[in-house]
């Protein structure tokens, strides 16, 4: 425990330093920040995508977009303008995306929550706290399809989060146009702030052209709100709804095809939310049910370590960025252990659901502090009495783009043991390194206690230089043998890890058919705590090619070593004996253009694998013939030749969705693998009949 306390004391001392005590200093931008003044209105526009309300013509206009791709700094080849209005209820943004060839505009999707990169589209980021760190990301195409996501510490933090907003688009002989309504009730924001961070990005798909309203370098994404422009003049934003009550009623029918038994069940419950302040929310969920949650994508495991499945439940996804710990995930610095993994709550180790009788959450921001607390009461299951779980995360914004914080968890949803976890982290980020470059570093430490193993520890650090020409990084971490947080996820224990990354990415603007290429090297080395080499991987990309046509190609050579200390079995039944192994494989990968009627990619991997040989063929193909129909097929075949056996492992899926409107869809997912020799079918009808009010019809069936 001493190691943890020393590191924690050092990190928390940042709270007492002068730079953390005074008001936040605005970043000294490398170029003047673009800004637009919002116009307050008494009567808002009708959100229909036709832009014919007279009030739009009275609002200030912003535009002058410049390219990130293909020619950095050049004006975009098609004109883009936008205007912003607001009233007591919402923010209204109108976009005019002019196009000299409107018949070539791509608008092939109506799907909710799909990133519309196969179409012409707009995406914009809002930083309502003006903390230059956190915010929201929204995207849409000319059909008014909607995508929303969280921005945490200037990075995209996941798209499973949904909020209430409206978007309508249209196409005419001048281009495509869209109106957006963002209710203030849907966003957390700092009361009294008259200025919000804001940036807009437009993609013209047929030209593979992308540009921004405010750009300080093509290596900075729209999610980098530290380098965004501003919305000014937002006066009197203090009226928000205090209460929100969302009841639900669920009817279920389960049928056992083997036993012939069937049963009908019904249940009810709901969520009650109270806005403690415009930037702090409390939620109480009674008899929580997740029947509408999307089914997990099947995975095959060819390693000796467990797999991690993503969280998909709305209750845990909302404000999930506040609970993020450490540096997040980068190729040079993957988080080896997650102190809080919300799938531990309400799901057993095998993925079976456990009823959550009551769940509470308080999340938001107060001044420089980011606060998140979750408590959950679980029902009895099997021979285990109902358990409780508690999570607390507090971090403080320091410097210009950095933070320092702590996290704690209590409880074990899958046993009656006492269990505690404490963690502290410091994350530094600047986009002014060497004048205009991005630099990140992180340091963290965690301590875990349970009745069986007493105290165990994990700590690590990383450096990252993610820029346009050079992308490089270093990482190190150590995890004790029995460090296994009961509400977290740890894939590998009893190791020290060393990682490096170097990618050189020149642009080839003098070669008309080639946009850029990469020469990259990644490595990952694991030793035991006694410093004995346990495994290592070296990856060489020679090269990765990105063509002007939208195609891309990569050739990877991978050299790998592993020393399992006991036999293990992989998906498909193959057995790898304990021992020391070196092997090499070769990967050829092709990505198809997003602008094509058929998109996706395919590849082939051939080489050795432990004491045998392995080859893999994989493909994902999307086909969108109409905006109301989106389809995709994926397939992976892994063939193994071992001294004592030959076997293969296959997994495939078919996904198609009928989109009646942007607010109504019917999806179908078929999944099959030859390991379980079963076919899974999941269909879900979704209808948002009123903003924030949803109805679902879900059918799940397993054959085999």
């Amino acid at each position: 425990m001493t190691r943890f306390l020393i590191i924690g004391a050092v990190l928390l001392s940042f709270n007492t330093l002068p730079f953390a005590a005074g008001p936040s200093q605005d970043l000294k931008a490398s170029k003047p920040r673009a800004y637009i003044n919002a116009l307050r209105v008494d009567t808002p526009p009708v959100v229909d995508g036709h832009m014919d309300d007279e009030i739009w013509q009275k609002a200030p206009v912003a535009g002058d977009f410049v390219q990130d791709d293909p020619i950095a700094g050049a004006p975009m080849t098609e004109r883009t303008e936008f205007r912003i209005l607001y009233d007591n209820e919402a923010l209204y943004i109108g976009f005019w995306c002019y196009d000299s060839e409107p018949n070539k505009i791509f608008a092939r999707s109506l799907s909710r929550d799909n990133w519309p990169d196969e179409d012409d589209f707009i995406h914009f980021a809002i930083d309502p706290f003006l903390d230059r760190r956190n915010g929201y990301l929204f995207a849409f195409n000319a059909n008014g399809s909607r995508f929303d996501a969280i921005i945490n510490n200037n990075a995209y933090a996941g798209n499973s989060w949904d909020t209430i907003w409206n978007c309508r688009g249209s196409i005419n002989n001048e281009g495509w146009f869209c109106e957006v309504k963002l209710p203030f009730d849907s966003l957390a924001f700092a009361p009294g702030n008259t200025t919000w961070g804001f940036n807009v990005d437009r993609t013209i798909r047929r030209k593979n052209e992308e540009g921004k309203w405010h750009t300080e370098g093509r290596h900075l994404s729209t999610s980098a709100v530290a380098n965004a422009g501003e919305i000014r003049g937002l006066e009197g934003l203090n009226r928000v709804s205090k209460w929100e009550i969302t009841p639900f009623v669920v009817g279920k029918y389960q049928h056992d095809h083997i036993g012939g038994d069937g049963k009908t069940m019904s249940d009810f419950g709901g969520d009650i939310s109270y806005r403690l302040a415009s930037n702090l929310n409390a939620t109480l969920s009674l008899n929580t049910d997740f029947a509408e949650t999307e089914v997990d994508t099947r995975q095959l495991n060819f390693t000796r370590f467990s797999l991690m499945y993503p969280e998909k439940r709305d209750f845990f996804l909302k404000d999930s960025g506040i609970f993020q710990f450490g540096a997040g995930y980068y190729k040079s610095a993957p988080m080896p252990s997650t102190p809080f993994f919300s799938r531990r709550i309400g799901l057993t180790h095998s993925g079976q659901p456990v009823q959550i009788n009551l769940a509470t959450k308080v999340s938001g921001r107060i001044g420089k502090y980011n606060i998140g607390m979750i408590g959950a009461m679980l029902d009895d299951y099997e021979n285990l009495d109902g358990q409780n779980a508690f999570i607390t995360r507090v971090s403080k914004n320091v410097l210009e783009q950095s933070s320092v914080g702590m996290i704690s968890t209590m409880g074990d949803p899958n046993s009656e043991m006492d269990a505690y976890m404490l963690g502290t982290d410091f994350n530094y980020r600047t986009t002014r390194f060497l004048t205009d470059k991005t630099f990140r570093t992180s340091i963290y430490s965690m301590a875990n206690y349970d009745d069986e193993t007493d105290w165990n520890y994990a700590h690590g650090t990383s450096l990252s230089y993610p820029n346009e020409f050079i992308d490089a990084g270093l990482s190190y971490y150590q995890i004790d043998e029995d460090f296994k947080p009961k509400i977290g996820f740890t894939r590998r224990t009893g190791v020290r890890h060393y990682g490096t990354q170097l990618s050189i990415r020149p642009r080839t603007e003098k070669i008309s058919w080639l946009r850029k290429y990469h020469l990259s090297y990644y490595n990952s080395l694991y030793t035991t705590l006694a410093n004995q080499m346990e495994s290592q991987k070296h990856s060489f990309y020679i090269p990765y090619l990105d063509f002007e046509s939208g195609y891309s190609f990569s050739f990877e050579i991978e050299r790998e070593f592993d020393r399992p200390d006991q036999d293990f079995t992989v998906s498909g039944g193959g057995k790898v004996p304990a021992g020391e192994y070196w092997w090499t494989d070769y990967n050829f990968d092709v990505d198809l253009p997003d602008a094509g009627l058929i998109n996706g990619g395919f590849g082939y991997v051939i080489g050795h694998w432990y004491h045998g040989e392995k080859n893999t063929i994989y493909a994902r193909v999307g086909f969108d013939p109409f905006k109301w129909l989106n389809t995709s097929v994926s397939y992976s075949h892994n063939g193994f030749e071992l001294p004592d056996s030959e076997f293969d492992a296959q997994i495939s899926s078919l996904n198609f969705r009928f989109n009646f409107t942007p607010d109504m869809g019917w999806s179908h997912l078929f999944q099959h693998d030859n390991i379980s020799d079963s076919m899974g079918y999941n269909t879900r009808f979704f209808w948002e009949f009123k903003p924030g009010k949803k109805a679902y019809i879900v059918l799940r069936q397993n054959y085999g």
Side-chain angles (χ1 to χ4, degrees), residues 56 81 98 112 171 224 252 284 318 327 333 376 386 396 430 460 488 504 527 554 601 620 628 697-698:
W56 282 121
E81 295 178 353
Y98 295 101
R112 179 76 160 98
I171 300 176
K252 299 180 183 178
L284 176 69
K318 187 175 182 180
K396 183 178 181 179
T430 180
I504 309 297
T527 72
S554 67
R620 180 205 167 273
W628 49 265
I697 300 176
V698 179

Side-chain angles (χ1 to χ4, degrees), residues 106 108-109 115 117-119 205 550-551 590-602 619-625 629-634:
F106 283 85
R108 297 177 292 183
S109 176
W115 182 249
D117 57 350
E118 297 165 7
D119 289 334
R205 178 46 60 210
Y551 285 92
V590 176
D591 284 336
L592 304 177
D594 290 327
L597 184 62
I598 296 176
N599 53 73
F602 56 89
R620 180 205 167 273
V621 177
F623 178 58
D624 303 324
L629 176 62
N630 304 125
T631 66
S632 65
V633 177
S634 64

Side-chain angles (χ1 to χ4, degrees), residues 577-593:
E580 294 187 0
Y581 303 92
W582 274 104
W583 68 92
T584 304
D585 59 42
Y586 308 89
N587 184 4
F588 303 85
D589 184 87
V590 176
D591 284 336
L592 304 177

Side-chain angles (χ1 to χ4, degrees), residues 414-541:
N414 292 292
S415 80
E416 295 182 346
M417 291 192 303
D418 289 335
Y420 312 93
M421 197 288 307
L422 299 172
T424 183
D425 63 332
F426 171 62
N427 299 290
Y428 174 80
R429 182 183 189 272
T430 180
T431 51
R432 310 291 175 232
F433 184 68
L434 299 177
T435 304
D436 61 351
K437 298 297 186 291
T438 298
F439 177 75
R440 295 188 297 240
T441 186
S442 176
I443 181 172
Y444 59 88
S445 181
M446 295 178 282
N448 183 71
Y449 171 86
D450 61 60
D451 288 340
E452 286 185 342
T453 62
D454 202 58
W455 287 101
N456 286 274
Y457 305 90
H459 56 266
T461 186
S462 64
L463 302 173
S464 181
Y465 181 81
N467 291 281
E468 171 65 18
F469 182 66
I470 297 177
D471 185 357
L474 299 170
S475 67
Y476 165 80
Y477 59 78
Q478 175 179 313
I479 303 178
D480 285 356
E481 188 68 45
D482 294 315
F483 183 83
K484 299 174 183 177
K486 301 303 181 182
I487 315 181
F489 180 87
T490 303
R491 189 164 189 256
R492 193 166 180 174
T493 62
V495 294
R496 292 191 177 99
H497 171 269
Y498 308 85
T500 61
Q501 166 197 348
L502 177 62
S503 183
I504 309 297
R505 308 187 294 184
R507 293 276 173 164
T508 56
E509 294 174 353
K510 294 183 179 180
I511 303 176
S512 60
W513 49 270
L514 183 64
R515 178 166 292 187
K516 61 183 176 182
Y517 64 92
H518 299 181
L519 299 172
S520 304
Y521 168 69
Y522 304 93
N523 74 18
S524 181
L525 286 77
Y526 290 89
T527 72
T528 66
L529 298 180
N531 293 319
Q532 182 179 13
M533 185 62 66
E534 186 170 285
S535 64
Q536 54 182 296
K537 181 187 292 187
H538 304 266
S539 300
F540 303 86
Y541 287 84

